[in-house]
Amino acid sequence: HEIKVDKVFIIDRLTIREMRKFTIFISLATGFKTQLIAEGVESADIYMQLKAMGCMRAQGYWIARPMSAEAISLWFEEWDEAKKFSLTH
């Protein structure tokens, strides 16, 4: 099971108000013992904010654009290497 948070709460930036709302979603997911997924993550900054708040799963154009099934393995290799670098530097 999972709870997905719509991109309307995330797109572009997390304001103080959205961050407060997001902590409620995190509490709900924790209470229901389920995964929380943030939709609409479009930058490393947003990803890092969400991760710092306790959201470890995300989806959005910063992570990947829609792709064919054949492209997934190549994307996974590129994601692993490229994102490790961008998140640590």
Side-chain angles (χ1 to χ4, degrees):
H1 300 299
E2 61 192 21
I3 295 173
K4 283 192 174 184
V5 178
D6 191 79
K7 66 184 177 183
V8 71
F9 295 102
I10 297 162
I11 230 72
D12 294 331
R13 68 188 187 294
L14 284 176
T15 64
I16 297 298
R17 184 175 181 182
E18 275 82 29
M19 288 175 78
R20 285 188 198 128
K21 290 176 187 175
F22 208 85
T23 58
I24 294 169
F25 295 130
I26 291 170
S27 295
L28 278 170
T30 301
F32 285 116
K33 295 181 174 135
T34 190
Q35 294 287 327
L36 182 71
I37 302 173
E39 294 181 334
V41 175
E42 298 195 6
S43 73
D45 291 337
I46 294 294
Y47 179 77
M48 294 307 289
Q49 280 184 297
L50 293 169
K51 192 172 178 181
M53 291 169 51
C55 181
M56 306 310 273
R57 300 183 80 194
Q59 66 185 55
Y61 284 164
W62 178 72
I63 297 166
R65 299 270 178 178
M67 69 184 81
S68 67
E70 295 80 24
I72 291 174
S73 62
L74 177 62
W75 166 84
F76 189 74
E77 290 172 18
E78 291 173 356
W79 162 262
D80 192 43
E81 295 305 314
K83 299 306 178 186
K84 275 186 210 173
F85 179 79
S86 72
L87 294 176
T88 58
H89 294 87

